[in-house]
Amino acid sequence: MFKASKLLSAGSRRFASTTSVKPPLDLYGLSGTYATALYTAAAKENSLPAVSTAMGKLQSLFVNDKRSRDILVDPTLTVSDKNEVISIISKKCDGNTVFKGFLETMAGYNRLDIIEDVTSDFQKLKNASEGLVEATVTSAKPLDAATMKKLTSSITDSSVVGKGRKLKLTNVVDESIKGGIVVNVGDKTLDLSVSSMLYKYNNLLTTPV
Protein backbone atom coordinates (compact mmCIF):
# COMPACT_ATOMS: atom_id res chain seq x y z
CA MET A 1 0.00 0.00 0.00
CA PHE A 2 1.33 3.41 -0.92
CA LYS A 3 1.83 6.12 1.67
CA ALA A 4 0.24 9.57 1.74
CA SER A 5 3.50 11.17 0.64
CA LYS A 6 3.57 9.00 -2.48
CA LEU A 7 -0.03 9.87 -3.28
CA LEU A 8 0.74 13.57 -2.96
CA SER A 9 3.80 13.41 -5.15
CA ALA A 10 2.17 11.21 -7.78
CA GLY A 11 -1.21 12.86 -8.14
CA SER A 12 -1.12 16.22 -6.41
CA ARG A 13 2.15 17.93 -7.32
CA ARG A 14 0.30 20.91 -8.69
CA PHE A 15 -0.97 21.96 -5.27
CA ALA A 16 1.56 20.53 -2.76
CA SER A 17 4.34 22.67 -1.29
CA THR A 18 7.53 21.70 0.57
CA THR A 19 6.26 22.73 4.02
CA SER A 20 6.41 19.90 6.55
CA VAL A 21 3.04 18.99 8.09
CA LYS A 22 2.35 16.37 10.76
CA PRO A 23 -1.25 15.12 10.82
CA PRO A 24 -2.84 15.21 14.29
CA LEU A 25 -3.88 11.56 14.10
CA ASP A 26 -2.51 8.36 12.61
CA LEU A 27 -5.12 6.74 10.36
CA TYR A 28 -4.82 3.37 8.70
CA GLY A 29 -6.34 1.68 5.69
CA LEU A 30 -6.79 3.07 2.21
CA SER A 31 -9.37 5.69 3.18
CA GLY A 32 -7.11 6.86 6.01
CA THR A 33 -4.22 7.22 3.58
CA TYR A 34 -6.26 9.38 1.21
CA ALA A 35 -7.72 11.47 4.03
CA THR A 36 -4.25 12.08 5.45
CA ALA A 37 -2.98 13.05 2.00
CA LEU A 38 -5.76 15.59 1.59
CA TYR A 39 -5.27 16.99 5.10
CA THR A 40 -1.52 17.35 4.48
CA ALA A 41 -1.98 19.01 1.09
CA ALA A 42 -4.57 21.45 2.46
CA ALA A 43 -2.38 22.31 5.45
CA LYS A 44 0.62 22.96 3.20
CA GLU A 45 -1.43 25.37 1.13
CA ASN A 46 -2.97 27.07 4.20
CA SER A 47 -6.42 26.07 3.03
CA LEU A 48 -7.56 23.66 5.73
CA PRO A 49 -10.64 25.73 6.66
CA ALA A 50 -11.79 25.88 3.03
CA VAL A 51 -11.16 22.19 2.38
CA SER A 52 -12.78 21.18 5.67
CA THR A 53 -15.89 23.16 4.75
CA ALA A 54 -15.99 21.56 1.29
CA MET A 55 -15.60 18.07 2.74
CA GLY A 56 -18.43 18.76 5.18
CA LYS A 57 -20.66 19.87 2.32
CA LEU A 58 -19.67 16.75 0.38
CA GLN A 59 -20.81 14.58 3.30
CA SER A 60 -24.12 16.44 3.44
CA LEU A 61 -24.52 16.12 -0.33
CA PHE A 62 -24.20 12.34 -0.12
CA VAL A 63 -26.83 12.23 2.63
CA ASN A 64 -29.32 14.54 0.92
CA ASP A 65 -28.69 13.64 -2.72
CA LYS A 66 -27.86 9.95 -3.15
CA ARG A 67 -27.96 10.34 -6.93
CA SER A 68 -24.92 12.66 -6.84
CA ARG A 69 -22.98 10.04 -4.91
CA ASP A 70 -24.03 7.26 -7.30
CA ILE A 71 -23.00 9.31 -10.34
CA LEU A 72 -19.64 10.23 -8.82
CA VAL A 73 -18.69 6.59 -8.12
CA ASP A 74 -20.16 5.15 -11.34
CA PRO A 75 -17.38 2.88 -12.72
CA THR A 76 -18.71 3.15 -16.27
CA LEU A 77 -17.97 6.88 -16.55
CA THR A 78 -15.20 7.93 -18.91
CA VAL A 79 -12.32 10.10 -17.66
CA SER A 80 -13.91 13.10 -19.35
CA ASP A 81 -17.29 12.40 -17.72
CA LYS A 82 -15.68 11.95 -14.30
CA ASN A 83 -13.89 15.28 -14.57
CA GLU A 84 -17.14 16.99 -15.57
CA VAL A 85 -18.98 15.46 -12.59
CA ILE A 86 -16.11 16.43 -10.27
CA SER A 87 -16.28 20.03 -11.53
CA ILE A 88 -20.02 20.18 -10.84
CA ILE A 89 -19.69 18.65 -7.38
CA SER A 90 -16.76 20.92 -6.52
CA LYS A 91 -18.89 23.96 -7.33
CA LYS A 92 -21.77 22.61 -5.22
CA CYS A 93 -19.37 22.17 -2.30
CA ASP A 94 -17.59 25.49 -2.86
CA GLY A 95 -14.39 23.50 -3.23
CA ASN A 96 -11.06 25.16 -4.01
CA THR A 97 -8.29 23.85 -6.28
CA VAL A 98 -6.95 21.54 -3.56
CA PHE A 99 -10.35 19.94 -3.05
CA LYS A 100 -11.05 19.56 -6.75
CA GLY A 101 -7.54 18.34 -7.50
CA PHE A 102 -7.84 15.73 -4.80
CA LEU A 103 -11.09 14.34 -6.23
CA GLU A 104 -9.41 14.18 -9.63
CA THR A 105 -6.51 12.29 -8.06
CA MET A 106 -8.90 9.76 -6.52
CA ALA A 107 -10.65 9.40 -9.86
CA GLY A 108 -7.28 8.81 -11.53
CA TYR A 109 -6.61 5.95 -9.13
CA ASN A 110 -10.19 4.63 -9.57
CA ARG A 111 -10.82 5.02 -5.84
CA LEU A 112 -13.90 7.22 -5.80
CA ASP A 113 -15.82 4.20 -4.51
CA ILE A 114 -14.33 4.85 -1.03
CA ILE A 115 -14.97 8.61 -1.04
CA GLU A 116 -17.52 8.39 1.80
CA ASP A 117 -14.98 6.62 4.02
CA VAL A 118 -12.41 9.27 3.10
CA THR A 119 -14.74 12.11 4.09
CA SER A 120 -15.38 10.34 7.40
CA ASP A 121 -11.64 9.88 8.06
CA PHE A 122 -10.93 13.48 7.09
CA GLN A 123 -13.49 14.59 9.68
CA LYS A 124 -11.59 12.57 12.29
CA LEU A 125 -8.40 14.44 11.39
CA LYS A 126 -10.19 17.78 11.57
CA ASN A 127 -11.68 16.91 14.96
CA ALA A 128 -8.31 15.78 16.29
CA SER A 129 -6.68 19.03 15.13
CA GLU A 130 -9.31 20.94 17.12
CA GLY A 131 -8.77 18.83 20.24
CA LEU A 132 -12.00 16.90 19.76
CA VAL A 133 -11.92 13.19 20.58
CA GLU A 134 -14.57 10.96 18.98
CA ALA A 135 -15.93 7.98 20.89
CA THR A 136 -18.84 5.58 20.59
CA VAL A 137 -20.82 3.76 23.25
CA THR A 138 -22.68 0.72 21.93
CA SER A 139 -25.77 -0.47 23.79
CA ALA A 140 -28.59 -2.93 23.19
CA LYS A 141 -31.12 -0.09 23.48
CA PRO A 142 -30.79 3.70 23.02
CA LEU A 143 -29.30 5.39 26.09
CA ASP A 144 -31.17 8.29 27.66
CA ALA A 145 -29.74 11.80 27.92
CA ALA A 146 -28.85 11.47 31.61
CA THR A 147 -26.83 8.30 31.02
CA MET A 148 -25.04 9.82 28.02
CA LYS A 149 -24.17 12.88 30.11
CA LYS A 150 -22.70 10.73 32.90
CA LEU A 151 -20.70 8.63 30.43
CA THR A 152 -19.43 11.74 28.63
CA SER A 153 -18.27 13.23 31.92
CA SER A 154 -16.62 10.00 33.06
CA ILE A 155 -14.78 9.36 29.78
CA THR A 156 -13.73 13.02 29.47
CA ASP A 157 -12.08 12.84 32.89
CA SER A 158 -10.20 9.66 31.99
CA SER A 159 -6.66 9.43 30.65
CA VAL A 160 -7.84 8.19 27.24
CA VAL A 161 -9.15 11.66 26.35
CA GLY A 162 -6.44 13.83 27.83
CA LYS A 163 -6.42 17.17 29.59
CA GLY A 164 -7.83 20.11 27.68
CA ARG A 165 -9.49 18.00 24.99
CA LYS A 166 -13.19 17.73 24.20
CA LEU A 167 -15.20 14.54 23.76
CA LYS A 168 -17.83 13.77 21.15
CA LEU A 169 -19.70 10.67 22.31
CA THR A 170 -22.11 8.88 19.96
CA ASN A 171 -24.55 6.16 20.96
CA VAL A 172 -24.68 3.15 18.63
CA VAL A 173 -27.49 0.63 19.10
CA ASP A 174 -26.69 -3.07 18.60
CA GLU A 175 -29.19 -5.56 20.06
CA SER A 176 -26.74 -8.44 19.65
CA ILE A 177 -24.73 -7.35 22.70
CA LYS A 178 -27.87 -8.22 24.77
CA GLY A 179 -27.12 -5.67 27.48
CA GLY A 180 -24.38 -3.58 29.06
CA ILE A 181 -22.20 -1.30 26.94
CA VAL A 182 -19.11 -1.30 24.73
CA VAL A 183 -17.07 1.91 24.73
CA ASN A 184 -14.66 2.68 21.89
CA VAL A 185 -12.28 5.64 22.14
CA GLY A 186 -9.74 5.70 19.34
CA ASP A 187 -7.98 2.34 19.35
CA LYS A 188 -9.09 1.53 22.91
CA THR A 189 -12.14 -0.64 23.70
CA LEU A 190 -13.89 -1.28 27.01
CA ASP A 191 -16.28 -4.21 26.58
CA LEU A 192 -18.83 -4.41 29.40
CA SER A 193 -21.51 -6.08 27.31
CA VAL A 194 -23.60 -9.03 28.47
CA SER A 195 -22.67 -10.99 25.35
CA SER A 196 -18.98 -10.59 26.18
CA MET A 197 -19.50 -11.75 29.76
CA LEU A 198 -21.55 -14.76 28.60
CA TYR A 199 -18.77 -15.65 26.18
CA LYS A 200 -16.19 -15.54 28.97
CA TYR A 201 -18.37 -17.60 31.31
CA ASN A 202 -18.99 -20.15 28.58
CA ASN A 203 -15.26 -20.50 28.02
CA LEU A 204 -14.72 -21.05 31.74
CA LEU A 205 -17.38 -23.77 31.82
CA THR A 206 -16.03 -25.59 28.78
CA THR A 207 -12.33 -25.34 29.61
CA PRO A 208 -10.94 -28.53 31.22
CA VAL A 209 -9.82 -28.05 34.82
Side-chain angles (χ1 to χ4, degrees):
M1 181 180 294
F2 53 82
K3 295 182 178 180
S5 57
K6 183 177 179 181
L7 173 63
L8 286 169
S9 62
S12 311
R13 288 193 189 93
R14 61 186 178 280
F15 55 80
S17 70
T18 58
T19 305
S20 177
V21 174
K22 180 175 176 56
L25 188 67
D26 291 328
L27 296 178
Y28 304 96
L30 194 55
S31 62
T33 298
Y34 276 101
T36 300
L38 176 58
Y39 181 93
T40 303
K44 286 180 177 180
E45 293 301 312
N46 297 314
S47 62
L48 263 177
V51 172
S52 295
T53 298
M55 289 294 279
K57 290 183 177 180
L58 185 61
Q59 278 187 309
S60 297
L61 181 64
F62 288 154
V63 171
N64 300 318
D65 185 3
K66 188 175 182 296
R67 184 169 176 274
S68 292
R69 186 266 179 198
D70 291 341
I71 293 175
L72 181 63
V73 303
D74 188 346
T76 65
L77 290 181
T78 64
V79 173
S80 177
D81 288 338
K82 284 182 181 179
N83 287 336
E84 184 177 350
V85 172
I86 287 172
S87 293
I88 294 172
I89 288 180
S90 292
K91 288 181 180 178
K92 282 187 176 182
C93 297
D94 297 322
N96 60 6
T97 55
V98 176
F99 177 78
K100 181 182 178 184
F102 182 74
L103 290 182
E104 291 173 348
T105 298
M106 288 196 69
Y109 281 103
N110 292 316
R111 290 299 185 181
L112 285 173
D113 59 314
I114 63 168
I115 186 62
E116 287 175 294
D117 292 331
V118 174
T119 59
S120 178
D121 280 344
F122 184 86
Q123 184 64 42
K124 293 177 183 177
L125 289 169
K126 177 178 179 293
N127 289 344
S129 71
E130 297 173 349
L132 183 64
V133 178
E134 290 188 275
T136 61
V137 53
T138 303
S139 56
K141 295 181 180 180
L143 299 177
D144 57 46
T147 301
M148 286 294 290
K149 185 176 180 179
K150 289 180 181 178
L151 283 171
T152 298
S153 177
S154 177
I155 298 171
T156 299
D157 292 339
S158 69
S159 60
V160 296
V161 173
K163 187 177 180 180
R165 302 175 75 186
K166 297 172 290 184
L167 177 70
K168 178 184 178 183
L169 185 62
T170 303
N171 183 201
V172 176
V173 177
D174 181 358
E175 295 180 355
S176 69
I177 70 171
K178 301 184 184 303
I181 59 173
V182 179
V183 179
N184 287 283
V185 185
D187 59 353
K188 297 178 174 61
T189 300
L190 176 61
D191 192 342
L192 301 175
S193 65
V194 171
S195 61
S196 176
M197 288 186 282
L198 287 173
Y199 176 79
K200 292 176 182 176
Y201 290 149
N202 184 60
N203 275 350
L204 286 173
L205 291 172
T206 57
T207 300
V209 178

